[in-house]
Amino acid sequence: MTTRRRKRHSPEQIVRKLRDAEAMLNAGKDEAAVLQALEVSESTYLRWRKQYGGMKSEEAKRLKQLEEENKKLKEIVAEKELDIKMLRHLQQGNW
């Protein structure tokens, strides 16, 4: 029994695979053959299509950068909220 090694695909790779899949489907291949050629499951393919469908490689790369930046900003805001709560708590004399 062999286990498949999980691969992480970059946004550019995903967009390229989606383009390849679209070309294969337009050429008359059935979806099962396309998924096998891409080496992905149906759920992965559908998730990719939902998230990256219609994007160009540059757009997908920029989306990934924006998501990472957004994550960092959310962490900063959460830290500031904790600081504010702590200061309010100390200001009320509950130390």
Side-chain angles (χ1 to χ4, degrees):
M1 178 181 195
T2 61
T3 59
R4 285 182 132 180
R5 194 174 138 216
R6 269 186 104 178
K7 291 183 183 178
R8 291 277 179 185
H9 294 87
S10 71
E12 296 86 8
Q13 291 171 324
I14 293 171
V15 170
R16 191 175 323 112
K17 283 193 173 197
L18 287 174
R19 240 181 313 171
D20 293 345
E22 190 67 31
M24 286 186 266
L25 289 170
N26 289 337
K29 282 194 175 182
D30 66 340
E31 191 172 297
V34 171
L35 295 176
Q36 187 176 13
L38 296 178
E39 298 178 343
V40 296
S41 67
E42 183 179 9
S43 61
T44 298
Y45 172 72
L46 293 175
R47 183 172 31 90
W48 284 356
R49 225 175 61 190
K50 182 179 177 185
Q51 186 173 5
Y52 295 102
M55 282 190 186
K56 295 180 181 174
S57 294
E58 303 83 35
E59 293 170 336
K61 186 175 184 178
R62 181 67 181 141
L63 175 65
K64 187 71 170 175
Q65 290 171 343
L66 289 172
E67 287 174 345
E68 289 172 7
E69 185 178 334
N70 191 33
K71 181 181 175 186
K72 290 176 187 177
L73 291 172
K74 284 182 178 183
E75 289 174 1
I76 291 170
V77 169
E79 288 175 12
K80 294 298 177 191
E81 285 294 321
L82 284 174
D83 290 345
I84 290 169
K85 286 181 181 181
M86 182 181 66
L87 290 172
R88 284 187 182 149
H89 187 71
L90 290 174
Q91 187 179 27
Q92 293 173 355
N94 298 329
W95 27 336

